[in-house]
Amino acid sequence: DNGSSWTSANSGLANKYILSLASVAMPGGGSILLAGTASAGMFTSTDNGTSWISANIVLSDNTVSALMTSGTSVYAGTGDGIFVSNDAGGHWTDINTGFTQSTVNSLHIAEGTLYAGALSGIFSSTNRGVTWTRMNEGLTNTNVTTVTKVGNTLALGTAGNGLFLRGDEDTIWHAGSLSGYINVISTTGQTLLAGQGGSGAFYSTDLGASWQY
């Protein structure tokens, strides 16, 4: 009912501290839900969340902070780096070549390029995660909490130093006009949305030059 009412869907979850959610189409039809937790790894559900089972992914940290889907592939950002499953979560492979091992906070895909925001900065991959390139030039805080893209501009949030922007032709990041701890950024059309710790939600219609709430 579009969020008017909610029902608990925790059967089988060993940890209810959910950090990430995703839905991916299964090769044989239907879909599977995935839930990343703070300390108990990942869980999957094939009955719209009525029941959950532990996913087949081996982690030493067991934190799954970010989930992202592309077709039948699922990407997981974890405390052990980045993993991919090409069979709707059945099997997982780490894809950390060029990635500085650290907790991944956010994942985003735009025009075929993958972006990963982590405690050690922002990374990009143009070959579906086979290799990664760090792109921290210009950042004054490399704890990247969230990343998205609007038009030709990348936007990321940091844990304390606000929001940064980088156009496709830029070689460095430029500080935006929104400061503080940025928990999440997203887009709707050409509008940027940002959630700032303790200050609420903001939106920008000029690629982050100015913000309103």
Side-chain angles (χ1 to χ4, degrees), residues 168-182:
D168 282 346
E169 303 303 318
D170 292 338
T171 57
I172 65 171
W173 293 90
H174 304 278
S177 58
L178 195 62
S179 60
Y181 196 117
I182 309 300

Side-chain angles (χ1 to χ4, degrees), residues 25-167:
M26 292 190 293
S31 61
I32 185 168
L33 300 179
L34 302 100
T37 72
S39 60
M42 188 190 305
F43 293 81
T44 62
S45 172
T46 56
D47 54 12
N48 295 317
T50 300
S51 61
W52 297 86
I53 61 172
S54 182
N56 183 30
I57 182 171
V58 178
L59 301 170
S60 62
D61 180 271
N62 279 333
T63 296
V64 182
S65 304
L67 289 166
M68 180 190 69
T69 62
S70 178
T72 57
S73 296
V74 186
Y75 294 86
T78 78
D80 293 335
I82 304 166
F83 291 75
V84 65
S85 170
N86 295 312
D87 56 3
H91 302 84
W92 295 86
T93 304
D94 68 278
I95 47 171
N96 292 313
T97 300
F99 181 79
T100 301
Q101 201 80 1
S102 67
T103 297
V104 178
N105 298 317
S106 177
L107 293 169
H108 184 70
I109 185 168
E111 298 158 355
T113 298
L114 301 178
Y115 299 95
L119 293 179
S120 55
I122 179 75
F123 297 79
S124 66
S125 173
T126 57
N127 51 19
R128 301 182 65 83
V130 176
T131 57
W132 295 87
T133 301
R134 192 202 309 252
M135 44 188 302
N136 286 347
E137 299 82 2
L139 293 181
T140 57
N141 185 332
T142 57
N143 187 350
V144 177
T145 56
T146 179
V147 59
T148 192
K149 190 171 187 179
V150 55
N152 295 322
T153 301
L154 280 169
L156 65 77
T158 66
N161 285 62
L163 186 137
F164 289 78
L165 304 164
R166 179 168 172 163

